[in-house]
Coordinates of all heavy atoms in Angstrom, one line a residue:
M180 N 85.3 105.2 76.8 CA 86.6 105.7 76.6 C 87.5 105.3 77.9 O 87.0 105.4 79.0 CB 86.7 107.2 76.5 CG 88.0 107.7 76.2 SD 88.1 109.5 76.0 CE 87.3 109.7 74.4
R181 N 88.6 104.7 77.6 CA 89.6 104.4 78.7 C 90.5 105.5 79.0 O 91.2 106.0 78.1 CB 90.4 103.1 78.3 CG 89.5 101.9 78.3 CD 90.3 100.6 78.3 NE 91.0 100.5 79.6 CZ 92.2 100.0 79.8 NH1 92.9 99.6 78.8 NH2 92.7 99.9 81.0
V182 N 90.5 105.9 80.3 CA 91.3 107.1 80.7 C 92.3 106.7 81.8 O 91.9 106.1 82.7 CB 90.4 108.2 81.2 CG1 91.2 109.4 81.6 CG2 89.3 108.6 80.2
L183 N 93.6 107.1 81.6 CA 94.6 106.9 82.6 C 94.8 108.2 83.2 O 95.2 109.2 82.6 CB 95.9 106.3 82.0 CG 97.0 106.2 83.0 CD1 96.7 105.3 84.2 CD2 98.3 105.8 82.3
V184 N 94.6 108.3 84.5 CA 94.9 109.5 85.3 C 96.1 109.3 86.1 O 96.1 108.3 86.9 CB 93.7 109.9 86.2 CG1 94.1 111.1 87.1 CG2 92.4 110.2 85.4
V185 N 97.2 110.1 86.0 CA 98.4 110.0 86.7 C 98.5 111.2 87.6 O 98.8 112.3 87.1 CB 99.6 109.8 85.8 CG1 100.9 109.5 86.7 CG2 99.4 108.6 84.8
E186 N 98.2 111.1 88.9 CA 98.0 112.2 89.8 C 98.4 111.8 91.2 O 97.9 110.8 91.7 CB 96.6 112.8 89.8 CG 96.3 113.8 90.8 CD 97.2 115.0 90.7 OE1 97.1 115.7 89.6 OE2 97.9 115.3 91.6
D187 N 99.4 112.5 91.8 CA 99.8 112.1 93.2 C 99.0 112.7 94.3 O 99.0 112.2 95.4 CB 101.3 112.4 93.4 CG 101.6 113.9 93.3 OD1 101.0 114.5 92.4 OD2 102.4 114.4 94.0
D188 N 98.2 113.7 94.0 CA 97.3 114.2 95.0 C 96.0 113.4 95.1 O 95.2 113.4 94.1 CB 96.9 115.7 94.6 CG 96.0 116.3 95.6 OD1 95.0 115.7 96.1 OD2 96.3 117.5 96.0
E189 N 95.9 112.6 96.1 CA 94.8 111.6 96.2 C 93.4 112.3 96.1 O 92.5 111.7 95.4 CB 94.8 110.9 97.6 CG 96.0 109.9 97.6 CD 96.0 109.1 98.9 OE1 94.9 108.7 99.4 OE2 97.1 108.9 99.5
R190 N 93.2 113.4 96.7 CA 91.9 114.1 96.6 C 91.6 114.5 95.2 O 90.5 114.3 94.7 CB 91.8 115.3 97.5 CG 91.8 114.8 99.0 CD 91.8 116.0 100.0 NE 90.8 116.9 99.7 CZ 90.6 118.1 100.3 NH1 91.5 118.5 101.2 NH2 89.6 118.9 99.9
L191 N 92.6 115.1 94.5 CA 92.3 115.5 93.1 C 92.1 114.3 92.2 O 91.3 114.3 91.3 CB 93.5 116.3 92.6 CG 93.4 116.9 91.2 CD1 92.1 117.6 90.9 CD2 94.6 117.7 90.8
A192 N 92.9 113.2 92.4 CA 92.8 112.0 91.6 C 91.4 111.4 91.8 O 90.8 111.0 90.8 CB 93.9 111.0 92.0
D193 N 90.9 111.4 93.0 CA 89.6 110.9 93.3 C 88.5 111.7 92.6 O 87.6 111.2 92.0 CB 89.3 110.9 94.8 CG 88.0 110.2 95.2 OD1 87.7 109.1 94.7 OD2 87.2 110.9 95.9
V194 N 88.6 113.1 92.7 CA 87.6 113.9 92.0 C 87.6 113.7 90.5 O 86.6 113.6 89.9 CB 87.9 115.4 92.3 CG1 87.1 116.3 91.4 CG2 87.6 115.7 93.8
L195 N 88.8 113.6 89.9 CA 88.9 113.3 88.5 C 88.3 112.0 88.1 O 87.5 111.9 87.2 CB 90.4 113.4 88.0 CG 91.1 114.8 88.0 CD1 92.6 114.6 87.9 CD2 90.5 115.6 86.9
A196 N 88.7 111.0 88.9 CA 88.2 109.6 88.6 C 86.7 109.5 88.7 O 86.0 109.0 87.9 CB 88.8 108.6 89.5
R197 N 86.1 110.2 89.8 CA 84.7 110.1 90.0 C 84.0 110.9 88.8 O 83.0 110.4 88.3 CB 84.3 110.7 91.3 CG 84.3 109.7 92.4 CD 83.7 110.2 93.7 NE 84.6 111.2 94.3 CZ 84.3 112.4 94.7 NH1 83.0 112.8 94.7 NH2 85.1 113.3 95.2
G198 N 84.4 112.0 88.5 CA 83.8 112.8 87.4 C 83.9 112.1 86.1 O 82.9 112.1 85.4
L199 N 85.0 111.5 85.8 CA 85.2 110.8 84.5 C 84.3 109.6 84.5 O 83.7 109.2 83.5 CB 86.6 110.5 84.2 CG 87.5 111.7 83.9 CD1 89.0 111.3 84.0 CD2 87.2 112.2 82.5
T200 N 84.2 108.9 85.6 CA 83.4 107.6 85.7 C 81.9 108.0 85.6 O 81.2 107.3 84.8 CB 83.7 106.9 87.0 OG1 85.1 106.6 87.1 CG2 82.8 105.7 87.2
E201 N 81.5 109.1 86.2 CA 80.1 109.5 86.1 C 79.8 109.9 84.7 O 78.6 109.8 84.3 CB 79.8 110.6 87.1 CG 79.8 110.2 88.5 CD 79.7 111.3 89.5 OE1 79.5 112.5 89.1 OE2 79.8 111.1 90.7
A202 N 80.8 110.3 83.9 CA 80.5 110.7 82.5 C 80.6 109.5 81.6 O 80.5 109.6 80.4 CB 81.6 111.7 82.1
G203 N 80.8 108.3 82.2 CA 80.7 107.1 81.4 C 82.0 106.5 81.0 O 82.1 105.6 80.2
H204 N 83.1 107.0 81.5 CA 84.5 106.6 81.1 C 85.0 105.5 82.1 O 84.6 105.5 83.3 CB 85.4 107.7 81.0 CG 85.0 108.8 80.1 ND1 84.9 108.7 78.7 CD2 84.5 110.1 80.4 CE1 84.5 109.8 78.2 NE2 84.2 110.6 79.2
S205 N 85.9 104.7 81.6 CA 86.6 103.7 82.4 C 87.9 104.4 82.8 O 88.7 104.8 81.9 CB 86.8 102.4 81.6 OG 87.7 101.5 82.3
V206 N 88.2 104.4 84.1 CA 89.3 105.2 84.6 C 90.2 104.3 85.4 O 89.8 103.6 86.3 CB 88.8 106.4 85.5 CG1 90.0 107.2 86.0 CG2 87.8 107.3 84.7
E207 N 91.5 104.5 85.2 CA 92.6 103.9 86.0 C 93.4 105.0 86.6 O 93.7 106.0 85.8 CB 93.5 102.9 85.2 CG 94.6 102.3 86.0 CD 95.4 101.3 85.3 OE1 94.9 100.7 84.3 OE2 96.6 101.2 85.6
V208 N 93.7 105.0 87.8 CA 94.5 106.0 88.5 C 95.8 105.4 88.9 O 95.9 104.4 89.5 CB 93.8 106.6 89.7 CG1 94.6 107.7 90.4 CG2 92.4 107.2 89.2
Q209 N 96.9 106.2 88.7 CA 98.2 105.8 89.2 C 98.8 107.0 89.9 O 98.6 108.2 89.5 CB 99.2 105.4 88.0 CG 98.8 104.1 87.3 CD 98.9 102.9 88.2 OE1 99.6 102.9 89.2 NE2 98.0 101.9 87.9
P210 N 99.5 106.8 91.0 CA 100.0 107.9 91.9 C 101.3 108.5 91.6 O 101.7 109.4 92.2 CB 100.0 107.2 93.3 CG 100.4 105.8 93.0 CD 99.7 105.5 91.7
D211 N 102.1 107.9 90.6 CA 103.4 108.5 90.3 C 103.7 108.3 88.8 O 103.1 107.5 88.2 CB 104.5 108.1 91.3 CG 104.9 106.6 91.1 OD1 105.1 106.1 90.0 OD2 104.9 105.9 92.2
G212 N 104.8 109.0 88.4 CA 105.1 108.9 87.0 C 105.6 107.5 86.5 O 105.3 107.1 85.4
L213 N 106.4 106.8 87.4 CA 106.9 105.5 87.0 C 105.8 104.5 86.8 O 105.7 103.8 85.8 CB 107.9 105.0 88.0 CG 109.2 105.8 88.0 CD1 110.1 105.4 89.2 CD2 110.0 105.6 86.7
L214 N 104.8 104.5 87.8 CA 103.7 103.6 87.7 C 102.8 104.0 86.5 O 102.2 103.2 85.8 CB 102.9 103.6 89.0 CG 103.6 102.9 90.2 CD1 102.8 103.1 91.5 CD2 103.9 101.5 89.9
G215 N 102.6 105.3 86.3 CA 101.8 105.8 85.2 C 102.4 105.4 83.8 O 101.7 104.9 82.9
L216 N 103.7 105.5 83.7 CA 104.4 105.0 82.5 C 104.2 103.6 82.2 O 103.9 103.1 81.1 CB 105.9 105.4 82.5 CG 106.7 105.0 81.3 CD1 106.2 105.7 80.0 CD2 108.2 105.4 81.5
A217 N 104.4 102.8 83.3 CA 104.2 101.3 83.2 C 102.7 101.0 82.8 O 102.5 100.2 81.9 CB 104.5 100.6 84.5
A218 N 101.8 101.6 83.4 CA 100.4 101.4 83.1 C 100.0 101.8 81.7 O 99.3 101.1 80.9 CB 99.4 102.1 84.1
A219 N 100.6 102.9 81.2 CA 100.3 103.4 79.8 C 100.9 102.4 78.8 O 100.3 102.1 77.8 CB 101.0 104.7 79.6
G220 N 102.0 101.8 79.2 CA 102.6 100.8 78.3 C 101.9 99.5 78.2 O 101.9 98.8 77.2
L221 N 101.1 99.2 79.3 CA 100.4 97.9 79.4 C 98.9 98.0 78.8 O 98.4 97.1 78.3 CB 100.3 97.4 80.8 CG 101.7 96.9 81.4 CD1 101.5 96.6 82.9 CD2 102.2 95.8 80.6
G222 N 98.4 99.2 79.0 CA 97.0 99.4 78.7 C 96.8 100.1 77.4 O 97.6 100.8 76.9
A223 N 95.6 99.9 76.8 CA 95.3 100.6 75.6 C 94.3 101.7 76.0 O 93.1 101.6 76.0 CB 94.6 99.7 74.6
F224 N 94.9 102.9 76.4 CA 94.1 104.0 76.8 C 93.8 104.9 75.7 O 94.6 105.1 74.7 CB 94.8 104.8 77.9 CG 95.0 104.0 79.2 CD1 96.2 103.3 79.4 CD2 94.0 103.9 80.1 CE1 96.3 102.5 80.6 CE2 94.1 103.1 81.2 CZ 95.3 102.4 81.5
D225 N 92.6 105.6 75.7 CA 92.2 106.5 74.7 C 92.8 107.9 75.0 O 93.0 108.7 74.1 CB 90.7 106.6 74.6 CG 90.1 105.3 74.3 OD1 90.4 104.8 73.1 OD2 89.3 104.7 75.0
V226 N 93.0 108.2 76.3 CA 93.6 109.5 76.7 C 94.3 109.3 78.0 O 93.9 108.5 78.8 CB 92.5 110.6 76.7 CG1 91.5 110.3 77.8 CG2 93.1 112.0 76.8
L227 N 95.4 110.2 78.2 CA 96.1 110.2 79.4 C 95.9 111.6 80.1 O 96.0 112.6 79.4 CB 97.6 109.9 79.2 CG 98.0 108.7 78.4 CD1 99.5 108.7 78.2 CD2 97.5 107.5 79.1
V228 N 95.7 111.6 81.4 CA 95.7 112.9 82.1 C 96.8 112.8 83.1 O 96.9 112.0 84.0 CB 94.3 113.0 82.9 CG1 94.3 114.3 83.7 CG2 93.1 112.9 81.9
L229 N 97.8 113.7 82.8 CA 99.1 113.6 83.6 C 99.3 114.9 84.4 O 99.1 116.0 83.8 CB 100.3 113.5 82.6 CG 100.4 112.3 81.7 CD1 101.7 112.5 80.8 CD2 100.6 111.1 82.5
D230 N 99.6 114.7 85.6 CA 100.0 115.9 86.4 C 101.4 116.2 86.0 O 102.2 115.4 85.6 CB 100.0 115.5 87.9 CG 100.3 116.6 88.9 OD1 100.2 117.8 88.4 OD2 100.6 116.3 90.0
W231 N 101.7 117.5 86.1 CA 103.1 117.9 85.7 C 104.1 117.5 86.7 O 105.1 116.9 86.4 CB 103.1 119.5 85.5 CG 104.4 120.0 85.0 CD1 105.6 120.0 85.6 CD2 104.6 120.6 83.7 NE1 106.5 120.5 84.8 CE2 105.9 121.0 83.6 CE3 103.7 121.0 82.7 CZ2 106.5 121.6 82.5 CZ3 104.3 121.6 81.6 CH2 105.6 121.9 81.5
M232 N 103.8 117.8 88.0 CA 104.8 117.5 89.0 C 104.4 116.2 89.7 O 103.5 116.2 90.6 CB 104.9 118.7 90.0 CG 105.4 119.9 89.3 SD 105.7 121.3 90.4 CE 104.1 121.6 91.2
L233 N 105.1 115.1 89.4 CA 104.8 113.8 89.9 C 106.1 113.3 90.5 O 107.2 113.6 90.1 CB 104.4 112.8 88.8 CG 103.1 113.1 88.1 CD1 103.0 112.3 86.8 CD2 101.9 112.6 89.1
P234 N 105.9 112.4 91.6 CA 107.1 111.7 92.1 C 107.6 110.7 91.0 O 106.8 110.2 90.2 CB 106.6 111.0 93.3 CG 105.1 111.1 93.3 CD 104.7 112.1 92.3
G235 N 108.8 110.3 91.1 CA 109.4 109.3 90.1 C 109.8 110.0 88.8 O 110.9 110.3 88.6
L236 N 108.8 110.1 88.0 CA 109.0 110.9 86.7 C 107.9 111.9 86.6 O 106.8 111.7 86.9 CB 108.8 109.9 85.5 CG 109.9 108.9 85.1 CD1 109.4 108.1 84.0 CD2 111.2 109.6 84.8
D237 N 108.3 113.1 86.2 CA 107.3 114.2 86.1 C 106.5 113.9 84.8 O 106.8 113.1 84.0 CB 107.9 115.6 86.2 CG 108.8 115.9 85.0 OD1 108.8 115.2 84.0 OD2 109.5 116.9 85.2
G238 N 105.4 114.6 84.7 CA 104.5 114.5 83.6 C 105.1 114.6 82.2 O 105.0 113.8 81.3
P239 N 105.9 115.7 82.0 CA 106.6 115.8 80.7 C 107.6 114.7 80.4 O 107.6 114.2 79.3 CB 107.4 117.2 80.8 CG 106.5 117.9 81.8 CD 106.0 116.9 82.8
A240 N 108.2 114.1 81.4 CA 109.1 113.0 81.2 C 108.3 111.8 80.8 O 108.8 111.0 79.9 CB 110.0 112.7 82.5
V241 N 107.2 111.6 81.4 CA 106.3 110.4 81.1 C 105.9 110.6 79.6 O 106.0 109.6 78.8 CB 105.1 110.3 82.0 CG1 104.1 109.3 81.5 CG2 105.5 110.0 83.4
C242 N 105.5 111.8 79.3 CA 105.0 112.0 77.9 C 106.1 111.8 76.9 O 105.9 111.1 75.9 CB 104.4 113.4 77.8 SG 103.7 113.8 76.2
R243 N 107.3 112.3 77.2 CA 108.5 112.1 76.3 C 108.8 110.6 76.1 O 109.1 110.2 75.0 CB 109.7 112.9 76.8 CG 109.7 114.3 76.5 CD 111.0 115.0 76.8 NE 111.4 115.0 78.2 CZ 111.0 115.9 79.1 NH1 110.2 116.9 78.7 NH2 111.4 115.8 80.4
A244 N 108.8 109.9 77.2 CA 109.1 108.4 77.2 C 108.0 107.7 76.3 O 108.4 106.8 75.5 CB 109.1 107.8 78.6
L245 N 106.8 108.1 76.4 CA 105.8 107.4 75.6 C 105.9 107.8 74.1 O 105.8 106.9 73.3 CB 104.4 107.9 76.1 CG 103.9 107.3 77.4 CD1 102.7 108.0 77.9 CD2 103.8 105.8 77.4
R246 N 106.2 109.1 73.8 CA 106.5 109.5 72.4 C 107.7 108.8 71.9 O 107.7 108.4 70.7 CB 106.6 111.0 72.3 CG 105.3 111.8 72.7 CD 104.1 111.4 71.9 NE 103.0 112.2 72.2 CZ 101.9 111.8 72.8 NH1 101.7 110.5 73.1 NH2 100.9 112.6 73.0
A247 N 108.7 108.5 72.7 CA 109.9 107.8 72.2 C 109.6 106.4 71.8 O 110.3 105.8 71.0 CB 111.0 107.9 73.3
Q248 N 108.5 105.8 72.4 CA 108.0 104.5 72.1 C 107.0 104.5 71.0 O 106.3 103.5 70.8 CB 107.4 103.8 73.4 CG 108.4 103.7 74.5 CD 107.7 103.3 75.8 OE1 106.5 103.0 75.9 NE2 108.4 103.4 76.9
S249 N 106.8 105.6 70.4 CA 105.8 105.8 69.3 C 104.4 105.7 69.8 O 103.5 105.4 69.0 CB 106.1 104.8 68.1 OG 107.3 105.1 67.6
D250 N 104.2 106.0 71.1 CA 102.8 106.0 71.6 C 102.3 107.4 71.4 O 102.8 108.4 71.9 CB 102.9 105.7 73.1 CG 101.5 105.6 73.7 OD1 100.6 106.3 73.3 OD2 101.3 104.8 74.7
R251 N 101.2 107.5 70.6 CA 100.6 108.8 70.2 C 99.3 109.0 70.9 O 98.5 109.8 70.5 CB 100.4 108.8 68.7 CG 101.7 108.7 67.9 CD 102.6 110.0 68.2 NE 103.9 109.9 67.5 CZ 105.0 110.0 68.1 NH1 105.0 110.3 69.4 NH2 106.1 109.9 67.5
T252 N 99.1 108.4 72.1 CA 97.9 108.6 72.8 C 97.8 110.1 73.2 O 98.8 110.6 73.7 CB 97.9 107.7 74.1 OG1 98.0 106.4 73.7 CG2 96.6 107.9 74.9
P253 N 96.6 110.7 73.0 CA 96.5 112.1 73.4 C 96.7 112.3 74.9 O 96.4 111.4 75.7 CB 95.0 112.5 73.1 CG 94.6 111.5 72.1 CD 95.4 110.2 72.4
V254 N 97.4 113.4 75.3 CA 97.7 113.7 76.7 C 97.2 115.1 77.1 O 97.3 116.0 76.3 CB 99.3 113.7 76.9 CG1 99.6 114.2 78.2 CG2 99.8 112.3 76.6
L255 N 96.5 115.1 78.2 CA 96.1 116.3 78.8 C 97.0 116.5 80.1 O 97.0 115.7 80.9 CB 94.6 116.3 79.3 CG 94.1 117.5 80.0 CD1 94.1 118.7 79.1 CD2 92.7 117.2 80.5
M256 N 97.7 117.6 80.1 CA 98.7 117.9 81.2 C 98.0 118.8 82.2 O 97.5 119.9 81.8 CB 99.9 118.5 80.6 CG 101.1 118.6 81.6 SD 102.0 117.0 81.8 CE 102.6 116.7 80.2
L257 N 98.0 118.4 83.4 CA 97.5 119.3 84.5 C 98.6 120.0 85.2 O 99.6 119.3 85.6 CB 96.7 118.4 85.5 CG 95.5 117.6 85.1 CD1 95.0 116.8 86.2 CD2 94.5 118.5 84.5
T258 N 98.5 121.3 85.4 CA 99.6 122.0 86.0 C 99.1 123.3 86.5 O 98.2 123.9 86.0 CB 100.8 122.2 85.1 OG1 101.8 122.9 85.8 CG2 100.4 123.0 83.9
A259 N 99.7 123.8 87.6 CA 99.5 125.2 88.1 C 100.6 126.1 87.4 O 100.5 127.3 87.6 CB 99.6 125.2 89.6
R260 N 101.5 125.6 86.7 CA 102.5 126.4 86.1 C 101.9 127.2 85.0 O 101.0 126.7 84.3 CB 103.6 125.5 85.5 CG 104.4 124.8 86.6 CD 105.4 123.9 85.9 NE 106.2 123.2 87.0 CZ 107.5 123.1 87.0 NH1 108.2 123.7 86.1 NH2 108.1 122.5 88.0
Q261 N 102.4 128.4 84.8 CA 101.7 129.2 83.8 C 102.6 130.1 82.9 O 102.2 130.9 82.1 CB 100.7 130.2 84.5 CG 101.3 130.9 85.7 CD 100.3 131.6 86.5 OE1 99.2 132.0 85.9 NE2 100.5 131.8 87.7
T262 N 104.0 129.9 83.0 CA 104.8 130.7 82.2 C 104.8 130.2 80.8 O 104.5 129.0 80.5 CB 106.3 130.7 82.7 OG1 106.8 129.4 82.6 CG2 106.3 131.2 84.2
V263 N 105.2 131.0 79.8 CA 105.3 130.6 78.4 C 106.3 129.5 78.3 O 106.1 128.5 77.6 CB 105.7 131.8 77.5 CG1 106.0 131.3 76.1 CG2 104.6 132.8 77.5
A264 N 107.4 129.6 79.0 CA 108.5 128.5 79.0 C 107.9 127.2 79.4 O 108.2 126.1 78.8 CB 109.7 128.9 79.8
D265 N 107.1 127.2 80.4 CA 106.5 125.9 80.9 C 105.5 125.4 79.8 O 105.5 124.2 79.6 CB 105.7 126.1 82.2 CG 106.6 126.4 83.4 OD1 107.7 125.9 83.4 OD2 106.2 127.1 84.3
R266 N 104.7 126.2 79.2 CA 103.8 125.8 78.2 C 104.6 125.2 77.0 O 104.2 124.1 76.4 CB 102.9 126.9 77.7 CG 101.8 127.2 78.8 CD 100.7 128.1 78.2 NE 101.2 129.3 77.7 CZ 101.2 130.5 78.4 NH1 100.7 130.5 79.6 NH2 101.6 131.6 77.8
V267 N 105.7 125.8 76.6 CA 106.5 125.3 75.5 C 107.1 124.0 75.9 O 107.2 123.1 75.1 CB 107.6 126.4 75.1 CG1 108.6 125.8 74.2 CG2 106.9 127.6 74.5
D268 N 107.6 123.9 77.1 CA 108.2 122.7 77.6 C 107.2 121.5 77.6 O 107.5 120.4 77.2 CB 108.6 122.9 79.1 CG 109.9 122.2 79.4 OD1 110.7 121.9 78.5 OD2 110.2 121.9 80.6
G269 N 106.0 121.8 78.0 CA 104.9 120.8 78.0 C 104.5 120.4 76.6 O 104.3 119.3 76.2

């Protein structure tokens, strides 16, 4: 499975990439929303792992941009946010 991880925290991105790679997945990591959106548009990923708070474009904005392009790749959103409004927004 090809996984795109968009995470600006280098340590967390590394942990995610190592874990997913050890589980047999092919992983690409991008450090901000703009680069993540560009990579998602170029690659055929099976799933995207997006941090909510990213530089450039935040995770929800990346997801909205992809959906506007009819990209229906499944997205897992990582966040420390926990309000109902945040979940609805996501």
Side-chain angles (χ1 to χ4, degrees):
M180 183 179 291
R181 290 198 66 218
V182 181
L183 174 61
V184 175
V185 186
E186 172 58 65
D187 61 320
D188 181 314
E189 288 183 41
R190 290 177 54 187
L191 181 54
D193 184 54
V194 167
L195 290 168
R197 273 189 289 131
L199 289 164
T200 300
E201 287 173 7
H204 304 291
S205 173
V206 180
E207 180 176 332
V208 176
Q209 293 296 333
D211 68 52
L213 292 171
L214 291 172
L216 180 60
L221 294 175
F224 293 96
D225 298 299
V226 66
L227 308 176
V228 179
L229 299 177
D230 183 17
W231 186 294
M232 295 188 301
L233 292 165
L236 286 176
D237 64 15
V241 171
C242 188
R243 282 191 295 274
L245 291 169
R246 296 303 186 245
Q248 298 169 11
S249 297
D250 185 327
R251 299 291 176 232
T252 305
V254 172
L255 175 64
M256 193 77 65
L257 299 179
T258 183
R260 295 178 180 228
Q261 53 189 329
T262 69
V263 172
D265 289 329
R266 288 194 300 262
V267 169
D268 217 23

